[in-house]
Amino acid sequence: EVQLVESGGGLVQPGGSLRLSCAASGFTFSSYWMSWVRQAPGKGLEWVANIKQDGSEKYYVDSVKGRFTISRDNAKNSLYLQMNSLRADDTAVYYCARGLEWFMWGQGTLVTVSS
Amino acid sequence: QTVVTQEPSFSVSPGGTVTLTCGLSSGSVSTSYYPSWYQQTPGQAPRTLIYSTNTRSSGVPDRFSGSILGNKAALTITGAQADDESDYYCVLYMGSGVVFGGGTKLTVL
């Protein structure tokens, strides 16, 4: 069974940083593209970033380019999202997801950016 | 900027059939966009229903089916049940990332 468990969310002030982690199990992590998707309170889903199996390709939605960095550690079956220069509109539940064109989902971790 | 369009809301009677659609602000949806569909209830993570246009995810009942109808992707629910009342999102693959539709709120009444 595919399991994706996010951690690292919390309350952070505007301009601050946060690093999200995702622990994967139940599949061969190194064989899959991985993604982050977020959902602001009461809003729809928004793709944030993805990363190729070996980390050689990474793509981001325009609104986070230059501020967020996606990475992975295949030896640890883990996905990460480093978030810098956080803004109030980054407040959302962040989901770790397996895949490129379609997704299997974690349960999400809440990031709140507020003073 | 590519916009993926969905009906904001839809209503279906219990036992009825409903088709939700997923289009593009410019152009037609084809299998090359690998359309996928997700169901989400409040406070829960999305659940994968359909991927690659018409492949059901593991454990999804065959009441749910995906297709291309005209110039849009479509999700059809046959024999709607009360617990189908949810938000439904479609996703289209754009070559480096994906774009989500705004979601359809389905009411079963």
Side-chain angles (χ1 to χ4, degrees):
Chain A
E1 179 192 1
V2 172
Q3 283 207 325
L4 299 166
V5 180
E6 301 92 337
S7 61
L11 175 63
V12 61
Q13 292 189 337
S17 298
L18 213 54
R19 188 195 196 207
L20 305 183
S21 299
C22 170
S25 60
F27 64 100
T28 304
F29 180 75
S30 59
S31 296
Y32 289 86
W33 279 78
M34 295 295 295
S35 303
W36 287 98
V37 176
R38 67 183 179 183
Q39 187 170 35
K43 302 296 185 182
L45 297 161
E46 179 185 40
W47 170 76
V48 174
N50 60 27
I51 184 168
K52 196 176 179 179
Q53 289 90 331
D54 62 358
S56 62
E57 294 181 40
K58 305 174 185 181
Y59 300 98
Y60 301 90
V61 68
D62 285 348
S63 59
V64 308
K65 284 179 182 176
R67 300 188 301 123
F68 290 12
T69 301
I70 189 172
S71 62
R72 65 191 296 161
D73 185 337
N74 288 342
K76 296 183 177 180
N77 290 340
S78 293
L79 178 72
Y80 307 101
L81 186 67
Q82 178 67 44
M83 304 185 295
N84 298 331
S85 303
L86 282 161
R87 312 185 305 218
D89 63 359
D90 294 317
T91 294
V93 174
Y94 284 74
Y95 294 101
C96 169
R98 187 190 81 175
L100 173 63
E101 308 97 345
W102 67 276
F103 305 119
M104 297 294 288
W105 302 83
Q107 287 302 305
T109 187
L110 176 62
V111 173
T112 303
V113 184
S114 175
S115 55
Chain B
Q1 179 171 339
T2 301
V3 176
V4 176
T5 61
Q6 295 185 248
E7 300 87 358
S9 62
F10 228 115
S11 183
V12 62
S13 300
T17 296
V18 63
T19 296
L20 311 183
T21 68
C22 176
L24 282 169
S25 54
S26 177
S28 298
V29 177
S30 68
T31 57
S32 299
Y33 287 91
Y34 298 92
S36 56
W37 293 89
Y38 306 88
Q39 178 191 48
Q40 189 182 37
T41 52
Q44 299 297 312
R47 172 197 182 197
T48 306
L49 296 175
I50 301 287
Y51 61 92
S52 297
T53 305
N54 56 14
T55 303
R56 268 186 300 276
S57 187
S58 177
V60 174
D62 58 8
R63 313 187 286 104
F64 294 89
S65 62
S67 64
I68 299 291
L69 288 180
N71 62 349
K72 296 182 178 183
L75 173 71
T76 300
I77 307 171
T78 306
Q81 300 178 359
D83 61 4
D84 294 336
E85 187 161 295
S86 301
D87 295 324
Y88 291 85
Y89 293 91
C90 73
V91 168
L92 300 179
Y93 174 61
M94 297 297 177
S96 57
V98 302
V99 178
F100 283 81
T104 296
K105 186 175 187 62
L106 181 66
T107 302
V108 181
L109 53 75

PDB file of all heavy atoms in Angstrom, chain A residues 1-5 22-34 72 74 77-79 96-99 104-106:
ATOM      1  N   GLU A   1       0.839  -1.190   0.000  1.00  0.00           N
ATOM      2  CA  GLU A   1       0.000   0.000   0.000  1.00  0.00           C
ATOM      3  C   GLU A   1       0.883   1.252   0.000  1.00  0.00           C
ATOM      4  O   GLU A   1       1.794   1.371   0.807  1.00  0.00           O
ATOM      5  CB  GLU A   1      -0.906   0.014   1.231  1.00  0.00           C
ATOM      6  CG  GLU A   1      -1.806   1.219   1.333  1.00  0.00           C
ATOM      7  CD  GLU A   1      -2.456   1.321   2.700  1.00  0.00           C
ATOM      8  OE1 GLU A   1      -2.190   0.475   3.576  1.00  0.00           O
ATOM      9  OE2 GLU A   1      -3.251   2.270   2.892  1.00  0.00           O
ATOM     10  N   VAL A   2       0.557   2.163  -0.883  1.00  0.00           N
ATOM     11  CA  VAL A   2       1.291   3.433  -0.950  1.00  0.00           C
ATOM     12  C   VAL A   2       1.004   4.245   0.305  1.00  0.00           C
ATOM     13  O   VAL A   2      -0.148   4.471   0.659  1.00  0.00           O
ATOM     14  CB  VAL A   2       0.876   4.227  -2.196  1.00  0.00           C
ATOM     15  CG1 VAL A   2       1.490   5.626  -2.166  1.00  0.00           C
ATOM     16  CG2 VAL A   2       1.261   3.489  -3.464  1.00  0.00           C
ATOM     17  N   GLN A   3       2.064   4.656   0.980  1.00  0.00           N
ATOM     18  CA  GLN A   3       1.923   5.545   2.134  1.00  0.00           C
ATOM     19  C   GLN A   3       2.854   6.730   1.976  1.00  0.00           C
ATOM     20  O   GLN A   3       4.039   6.570   1.687  1.00  0.00           O
ATOM     21  CB  GLN A   3       2.226   4.807   3.438  1.00  0.00           C
ATOM     22  CG  GLN A   3       1.108   3.903   3.909  1.00  0.00           C
ATOM     23  CD  GLN A   3       1.114   3.698   5.421  1.00  0.00           C
ATOM     24  OE1 GLN A   3       2.176   3.639   6.022  1.00  0.00           O
ATOM     25  NE2 GLN A   3      -0.057   3.593   6.009  1.00  0.00           N
ATOM     26  N   LEU A   4       2.283   7.916   2.183  1.00  0.00           N
ATOM     27  CA  LEU A   4       3.043   9.162   2.131  1.00  0.00           C
ATOM     28  C   LEU A   4       2.681   9.954   3.378  1.00  0.00           C
ATOM     29  O   LEU A   4       1.512  10.268   3.586  1.00  0.00           O
ATOM     30  CB  LEU A   4       2.681   9.952   0.872  1.00  0.00           C
ATOM     31  CG  LEU A   4       2.970   9.250  -0.466  1.00  0.00           C
ATOM     32  CD1 LEU A   4       2.259   9.958  -1.611  1.00  0.00           C
ATOM     33  CD2 LEU A   4       4.464   9.183  -0.714  1.00  0.00           C
ATOM     34  N   VAL A   5       3.694  10.252   4.193  1.00  0.00           N
ATOM     35  CA  VAL A   5       3.440  10.921   5.461  1.00  0.00           C
ATOM     36  C   VAL A   5       4.240  12.219   5.507  1.00  0.00           C
ATOM     37  O   VAL A   5       5.468  12.209   5.564  1.00  0.00           O
ATOM     38  CB  VAL A   5       3.813  10.026   6.654  1.00  0.00           C
ATOM     39  CG1 VAL A   5       3.544  10.761   7.965  1.00  0.00           C
ATOM     40  CG2 VAL A   5       3.028   8.713   6.602  1.00  0.00           C
ATOM     41  N   CYS A  22       8.474  14.463   3.526  1.00  0.00           N
ATOM     42  CA  CYS A  22       7.492  13.439   3.186  1.00  0.00           C
ATOM     43  C   CYS A  22       8.192  12.094   3.204  1.00  0.00           C
ATOM     44  O   CYS A  22       9.139  11.880   2.437  1.00  0.00           O
ATOM     45  CB  CYS A  22       6.886  13.719   1.824  1.00  0.00           C
ATOM     46  SG  CYS A  22       5.867  12.377   1.152  1.00  0.00           S
ATOM     47  N   ALA A  23       7.735  11.209   4.078  1.00  0.00           N
ATOM     48  CA  ALA A  23       8.294   9.851   4.157  1.00  0.00           C
ATOM     49  C   ALA A  23       7.430   8.917   3.336  1.00  0.00           C
ATOM     50  O   ALA A  23       6.219   8.825   3.575  1.00  0.00           O
ATOM     51  CB  ALA A  23       8.349   9.407   5.609  1.00  0.00           C
ATOM     52  N   ALA A  24       8.051   8.229   2.392  1.00  0.00           N
ATOM     53  CA  ALA A  24       7.320   7.351   1.476  1.00  0.00           C
ATOM     54  C   ALA A  24       7.575   5.887   1.796  1.00  0.00           C
ATOM     55  O   ALA A  24       8.684   5.510   2.187  1.00  0.00           O
ATOM     56  CB  ALA A  24       7.726   7.638   0.034  1.00  0.00           C
ATOM     57  N   SER A  25       6.549   5.068   1.619  1.00  0.00           N
ATOM     58  CA  SER A  25       6.692   3.623   1.794  1.00  0.00           C
ATOM     59  C   SER A  25       5.642   2.916   0.958  1.00  0.00           C
ATOM     60  O   SER A  25       4.684   3.536   0.481  1.00  0.00           O
ATOM     61  CB  SER A  25       6.554   3.240   3.273  1.00  0.00           C
ATOM     62  OG  SER A  25       5.287   3.611   3.769  1.00  0.00           O
ATOM     63  N   GLY A  26       5.837   1.619   0.755  1.00  0.00           N
ATOM     64  CA  GLY A  26       4.872   0.805   0.025  1.00  0.00           C
ATOM     65  C   GLY A  26       5.079   0.783  -1.476  1.00  0.00           C
ATOM     66  O   GLY A  26       4.278   0.178  -2.199  1.00  0.00           O
ATOM     67  N   PHE A  27       6.117   1.453  -1.963  1.00  0.00           N
ATOM     68  CA  PHE A  27       6.436   1.432  -3.385  1.00  0.00           C
ATOM     69  C   PHE A  27       7.922   1.772  -3.549  1.00  0.00           C
ATOM     70  O   PHE A  27       8.568   2.212  -2.602  1.00  0.00           O
ATOM     71  CB  PHE A  27       5.563   2.406  -4.174  1.00  0.00           C
ATOM     72  CG  PHE A  27       5.762   3.858  -3.818  1.00  0.00           C
ATOM     73  CD1 PHE A  27       6.549   4.692  -4.611  1.00  0.00           C
ATOM     74  CD2 PHE A  27       5.156   4.412  -2.700  1.00  0.00           C
ATOM     75  CE1 PHE A  27       6.731   6.030  -4.296  1.00  0.00           C
ATOM     76  CE2 PHE A  27       5.328   5.746  -2.369  1.00  0.00           C
ATOM     77  CZ  PHE A  27       6.124   6.552  -3.161  1.00  0.00           C
ATOM     78  N   THR A  28       8.430   1.581  -4.754  1.00  0.00           N
ATOM     79  CA  THR A  28       9.834   1.868  -5.025  1.00  0.00           C
ATOM     80  C   THR A  28       9.986   3.359  -5.294  1.00  0.00           C
ATOM     81  O   THR A  28       9.779   3.839  -6.418  1.00  0.00           O
ATOM     82  CB  THR A  28      10.338   1.041  -6.216  1.00  0.00           C
ATOM     83  OG1 THR A  28      10.119  -0.352  -5.957  1.00  0.00           O
ATOM     84  CG2 THR A  28      11.842   1.283  -6.434  1.00  0.00           C
ATOM     85  N   PHE A  29      10.328   4.088  -4.245  1.00  0.00           N
ATOM     86  CA  PHE A  29      10.347   5.556  -4.284  1.00  0.00           C
ATOM     87  C   PHE A  29      11.215   6.070  -5.430  1.00  0.00           C
ATOM     88  O   PHE A  29      10.809   7.009  -6.133  1.00  0.00           O
ATOM     89  CB  PHE A  29      10.882   6.068  -2.940  1.00  0.00           C
ATOM     90  CG  PHE A  29      10.965   7.558  -2.826  1.00  0.00           C
ATOM     91  CD1 PHE A  29       9.826   8.324  -2.635  1.00  0.00           C
ATOM     92  CD2 PHE A  29      12.192   8.202  -2.887  1.00  0.00           C
ATOM     93  CE1 PHE A  29       9.900   9.704  -2.513  1.00  0.00           C
ATOM     94  CE2 PHE A  29      12.283   9.583  -2.761  1.00  0.00           C
ATOM     95  CZ  PHE A  29      11.135  10.339  -2.575  1.00  0.00           C
ATOM     96  N   SER A  30      12.352   5.474  -5.652  1.00  0.00           N
ATOM     97  CA  SER A  30      13.301   5.974  -6.641  1.00  0.00           C
ATOM     98  C   SER A  30      12.816   5.803  -8.075  1.00  0.00           C
ATOM     99  O   SER A  30      13.456   6.298  -9.003  1.00  0.00           O
ATOM    100  CB  SER A  30      14.655   5.277  -6.472  1.00  0.00           C
ATOM    101  OG  SER A  30      14.517   3.880  -6.627  1.00  0.00           O
ATOM    102  N   SER A  31      11.696   5.131  -8.275  1.00  0.00           N
ATOM    103  CA  SER A  31      11.165   4.889  -9.622  1.00  0.00           C
ATOM    104  C   SER A  31      10.124   5.914 -10.053  1.00  0.00           C
ATOM    105  O   SER A  31       9.630   5.842 -11.178  1.00  0.00           O
ATOM    106  CB  SER A  31      10.548   3.486  -9.709  1.00  0.00           C
ATOM    107  OG  SER A  31      11.525   2.487  -9.520  1.00  0.00           O
ATOM    108  N   TYR A  32       9.778   6.838  -9.181  1.00  0.00           N
ATOM    109  CA  TYR A  32       8.667   7.740  -9.457  1.00  0.00           C
ATOM    110  C   TYR A  32       9.042   9.210  -9.388  1.00  0.00           C
ATOM    111  O   TYR A  32       9.820   9.630  -8.513  1.00  0.00           O
ATOM    112  CB  TYR A  32       7.526   7.497  -8.461  1.00  0.00           C
ATOM    113  CG  TYR A  32       6.792   6.207  -8.678  1.00  0.00           C
ATOM    114  CD1 TYR A  32       7.250   5.019  -8.107  1.00  0.00           C
ATOM    115  CD2 TYR A  32       5.643   6.162  -9.464  1.00  0.00           C
ATOM    116  CE1 TYR A  32       6.586   3.829  -8.308  1.00  0.00           C
ATOM    117  CE2 TYR A  32       4.970   4.972  -9.668  1.00  0.00           C
ATOM    118  CZ  TYR A  32       5.450   3.811  -9.093  1.00  0.00           C
ATOM    119  OH  TYR A  32       4.785   2.632  -9.299  1.00  0.00           O
ATOM    120  N   TRP A  33       8.478   9.990 -10.314  1.00  0.00           N
ATOM    121  CA  TRP A  33       8.418  11.424 -10.102  1.00  0.00           C
ATOM    122  C   TRP A  33       7.620  11.652  -8.812  1.00  0.00           C
ATOM    123  O   TRP A  33       6.701  10.905  -8.493  1.00  0.00           O
ATOM    124  CB  TRP A  33       7.682  12.110 -11.247  1.00  0.00           C
ATOM    125  CG  TRP A  33       8.482  12.349 -12.476  1.00  0.00           C
ATOM    126  CD1 TRP A  33       8.809  11.431 -13.443  1.00  0.00           C
ATOM    127  CD2 TRP A  33       9.008  13.599 -12.923  1.00  0.00           C
ATOM    128  NE1 TRP A  33       9.502  12.026 -14.457  1.00  0.00           N
ATOM    129  CE2 TRP A  33       9.651  13.367 -14.168  1.00  0.00           C
ATOM    130  CE3 TRP A  33       8.999  14.908 -12.422  1.00  0.00           C
ATOM    131  CZ2 TRP A  33      10.280  14.383 -14.893  1.00  0.00           C
ATOM    132  CZ3 TRP A  33       9.621  15.912 -13.139  1.00  0.00           C
ATOM    133  CH2 TRP A  33      10.249  15.644 -14.356  1.00  0.00           C
ATOM    134  N   MET A  34       7.958  12.746  -8.115  1.00  0.00           N
ATOM    135  CA  MET A  34       7.228  13.128  -6.924  1.00  0.00           C
ATOM    136  C   MET A  34       6.836  14.596  -7.025  1.00  0.00           C
ATOM    137  O   MET A  34       7.517  15.391  -7.693  1.00  0.00           O
ATOM    138  CB  MET A  34       8.062  12.895  -5.667  1.00  0.00           C
ATOM    139  CG  MET A  34       8.394  11.439  -5.380  1.00  0.00           C
ATOM    140  SD  MET A  34       6.928  10.423  -5.010  1.00  0.00           S
ATOM    141  CE  MET A  34       6.365  11.161  -3.462  1.00  0.00           C
ATOM    142  N   ARG A  72      14.928  15.546  -3.020  1.00  0.00           N
ATOM    143  CA  ARG A  72      14.607  14.193  -2.582  1.00  0.00           C
ATOM    144  C   ARG A  72      15.869  13.466  -2.159  1.00  0.00           C
ATOM    145  O   ARG A  72      16.980  13.816  -2.597  1.00  0.00           O
ATOM    146  CB  ARG A  72      13.888  13.432  -3.706  1.00  0.00           C
ATOM    147  CG  ARG A  72      14.720  13.187  -4.945  1.00  0.00           C
ATOM    148  CD  ARG A  72      13.868  12.675  -6.110  1.00  0.00           C
ATOM    149  NE  ARG A  72      13.282  11.373  -5.828  1.00  0.00           N
ATOM    150  CZ  ARG A  72      12.226  10.877  -6.503  1.00  0.00           C
ATOM    151  NH1 ARG A  72      11.659  11.590  -7.471  1.00  0.00           N
ATOM    152  NH2 ARG A  72      11.767   9.681  -6.209  1.00  0.00           N
ATOM    153  N   ASN A  74      16.683   9.530  -2.212  1.00  0.00           N
ATOM    154  CA  ASN A  74      16.179   8.200  -2.534  1.00  0.00           C
ATOM    155  C   ASN A  74      16.653   7.148  -1.538  1.00  0.00           C
ATOM    156  O   ASN A  74      15.969   6.140  -1.322  1.00  0.00           O
ATOM    157  CB  ASN A  74      16.583   7.806  -3.955  1.00  0.00           C
ATOM    158  CG  ASN A  74      15.802   8.579  -5.013  1.00  0.00           C
ATOM    159  OD1 ASN A  74      14.745   9.149  -4.727  1.00  0.00           O
ATOM    160  ND2 ASN A  74      16.324   8.622  -6.222  1.00  0.00           N
ATOM    161  N   ASN A  77      14.105   7.381   1.082  1.00  0.00           N
ATOM    162  CA  ASN A  77      12.705   7.369   0.624  1.00  0.00           C
ATOM    163  C   ASN A  77      11.961   8.625   1.072  1.00  0.00           C
ATOM    164  O   ASN A  77      10.833   8.560   1.583  1.00  0.00           O
ATOM    165  CB  ASN A  77      11.973   6.125   1.139  1.00  0.00           C
ATOM    166  CG  ASN A  77      12.453   4.850   0.479  1.00  0.00           C
ATOM    167  OD1 ASN A  77      13.054   4.877  -0.596  1.00  0.00           O
ATOM    168  ND2 ASN A  77      12.210   3.727   1.120  1.00  0.00           N
ATOM    169  N   SER A  78      12.597   9.754   0.883  1.00  0.00           N
ATOM    170  CA  SER A  78      12.042  10.994   1.399  1.00  0.00           C
ATOM    171  C   SER A  78      12.047  12.112   0.368  1.00  0.00           C
ATOM    172  O   SER A  78      12.963  12.226  -0.445  1.00  0.00           O
ATOM    173  CB  SER A  78      12.818  11.463   2.636  1.00  0.00           C
ATOM    174  OG  SER A  78      12.626  10.575   3.716  1.00  0.00           O
ATOM    175  N   LEU A  79      11.007  12.926   0.437  1.00  0.00           N
ATOM    176  CA  LEU A  79      10.820  14.104  -0.404  1.00  0.00           C
ATOM    177  C   LEU A  79      10.795  15.328   0.507  1.00  0.00           C
ATOM    178  O   LEU A  79      10.290  15.242   1.640  1.00  0.00           O
ATOM    179  CB  LEU A  79       9.511  13.978  -1.170  1.00  0.00           C
ATOM    180  CG  LEU A  79       9.093  15.139  -2.072  1.00  0.00           C
ATOM    181  CD1 LEU A  79       9.993  15.187  -3.311  1.00  0.00           C
ATOM    182  CD2 LEU A  79       7.630  15.006  -2.473  1.00  0.00           C
ATOM    183  N   CYS A  96       2.052  15.908  -0.151  1.00  0.00           N
ATOM    184  CA  CYS A  96       3.047  15.149  -0.888  1.00  0.00           C
ATOM    185  C   CYS A  96       2.290  14.196  -1.804  1.00  0.00           C
ATOM    186  O   CYS A  96       1.295  13.575  -1.388  1.00  0.00           O
ATOM    187  CB  CYS A  96       3.909  14.378   0.109  1.00  0.00           C
ATOM    188  SG  CYS A  96       5.015  13.142  -0.564  1.00  0.00           S
ATOM    189  N   ALA A  97       2.721  14.066  -3.050  1.00  0.00           N
ATOM    190  CA  ALA A  97       1.995  13.216  -3.998  1.00  0.00           C
ATOM    191  C   ALA A  97       2.969  12.449  -4.878  1.00  0.00           C
ATOM    192  O   ALA A  97       3.972  13.006  -5.337  1.00  0.00           O
ATOM    193  CB  ALA A  97       1.073  14.068  -4.865  1.00  0.00           C
ATOM    194  N   ARG A  98       2.653  11.197  -5.100  1.00  0.00           N
ATOM    195  CA  ARG A  98       3.451  10.391  -6.005  1.00  0.00           C
ATOM    196  C   ARG A  98       2.963  10.583  -7.422  1.00  0.00           C
ATOM    197  O   ARG A  98       1.756  10.470  -7.677  1.00  0.00           O
ATOM    198  CB  ARG A  98       3.342   8.909  -5.648  1.00  0.00           C
ATOM    199  CG  ARG A  98       4.280   8.002  -6.440  1.00  0.00           C
ATOM    200  CD  ARG A  98       3.957   6.536  -6.229  1.00  0.00           C
ATOM    201  NE  ARG A  98       2.841   6.118  -7.070  1.00  0.00           N
ATOM    202  CZ  ARG A  98       2.408   4.856  -7.155  1.00  0.00           C
ATOM    203  NH1 ARG A  98       2.988   3.907  -6.413  1.00  0.00           N
ATOM    204  NH2 ARG A  98       1.397   4.537  -7.936  1.00  0.00           N
ATOM    205  N   GLY A  99       3.869  10.912  -8.323  1.00  0.00           N
ATOM    206  CA  GLY A  99       3.504  10.955  -9.728  1.00  0.00           C
ATOM    207  C   GLY A  99       3.827  12.261 -10.416  1.00  0.00           C
ATOM    208  O   GLY A  99       4.189  13.262  -9.797  1.00  0.00           O
ATOM    209  N   MET A 104      -0.994   9.919  -6.405  1.00  0.00           N
ATOM    210  CA  MET A 104      -1.446   9.277  -5.179  1.00  0.00           C
ATOM    211  C   MET A 104      -1.026  10.216  -4.054  1.00  0.00           C
ATOM    212  O   MET A 104       0.035  10.840  -4.126  1.00  0.00           O
ATOM    213  CB  MET A 104      -0.800   7.894  -5.014  1.00  0.00           C
ATOM    214  CG  MET A 104      -1.174   6.909  -6.110  1.00  0.00           C
ATOM    215  SD  MET A 104      -2.923   6.464  -6.097  1.00  0.00           S
ATOM    216  CE  MET A 104      -2.971   5.431  -4.631  1.00  0.00           C
ATOM    217  N   TRP A 105      -1.827  10.280  -2.990  1.00  0.00           N
ATOM    218  CA  TRP A 105      -1.731  11.399  -2.060  1.00  0.00           C
ATOM    219  C   TRP A 105      -1.348  11.008  -0.640  1.00  0.00           C
ATOM    220  O   TRP A 105      -1.728   9.941  -0.152  1.00  0.00           O
ATOM    221  CB  TRP A 105      -3.101  12.081  -1.974  1.00  0.00           C
ATOM    222  CG  TRP A 105      -3.608  12.565  -3.265  1.00  0.00           C
ATOM    223  CD1 TRP A 105      -4.264  11.829  -4.216  1.00  0.00           C
ATOM    224  CD2 TRP A 105      -3.516  13.888  -3.786  1.00  0.00           C
ATOM    225  NE1 TRP A 105      -4.576  12.625  -5.297  1.00  0.00           N
ATOM    226  CE2 TRP A 105      -4.136  13.896  -5.043  1.00  0.00           C
ATOM    227  CE3 TRP A 105      -2.966  15.084  -3.303  1.00  0.00           C
ATOM    228  CZ2 TRP A 105      -4.228  15.045  -5.833  1.00  0.00           C
ATOM    229  CZ3 TRP A 105      -3.057  16.222  -4.079  1.00  0.00           C
ATOM    230  CH2 TRP A 105      -3.678  16.196  -5.330  1.00  0.00           C
ATOM    231  N   GLY A 106      -0.614  11.921   0.041  1.00  0.00           N
ATOM    232  CA  GLY A 106      -0.478  11.856   1.471  1.00  0.00           C
ATOM    233  C   GLY A 106      -1.656  12.534   2.143  1.00  0.00           C
ATOM    234  O   GLY A 106      -2.609  12.955   1.475  1.00  0.00           O
TER     235      GLY A 106
END
